[in-house]
Amino acid sequence: MALVPCQVLRVAILLSYCSLLCNFQALEVSSFRTYGGKWKFLTFINLVIQTAFFGICVLTDLSSLLTRGSGNQEQERQLKKLISLRDWMLAIFAFPIGVFVVVMFWTIYAYDRELVYPKLLDNFVPGWMNHGMRATRNRALVDVCAAWQF
């Protein structure tokens, strides 16, 4: 079975999320040193969930490429479990939390930017990272859901 664009897209999304996660870890913001650290921000939690989800997607794609046509019943059973985990994670965590974070952030941002993303943060968080953490993430989820292979 050859690689299809969906599988390549999932690898590219995973790599971009890993890059965002590494760059987010390198940020030095005073609120990260208080109670809860980065984990008190739903945006960071969402980034971790999305990275884990696309990691599972890539693992599922690799497993399906390696086990298709092998005839091994145990491998097929394990692959079905992995696919079930991927689908469960999409339905329970990745899609609902991803959509919620993006919609709420940009709605509040349009109403009053200072409530969710004060201008002071522009000195610490580059614009590309802000859009990568909120806008492009939802686009990636929609692309993957639209191209989902059932």
Side-chain angles (χ1 to χ4, degrees), residues 6 10 53 57 83 86-87 90 143-150:
C6 293
R10 290 180 192 136
F53 169 70
C57 285
I83 291 170
R86 177 197 67 189
D87 294 345
L90 174 69
D143 287 345
V144 167
C145 288
W148 205 255
Q149 300 169 356
F150 291 102

Side-chain angles (χ1 to χ4, degrees), residues 71-88:
N72 188 336
Q73 295 297 326
E74 179 62 25
Q75 287 179 344
E76 292 291 331
R77 191 176 64 78
Q78 294 297 330
L79 179 61
K80 286 181 183 178
K81 284 184 181 179
L82 196 57
I83 291 170
S84 295
L85 174 66
R86 177 197 67 189
D87 294 345
W88 177 82

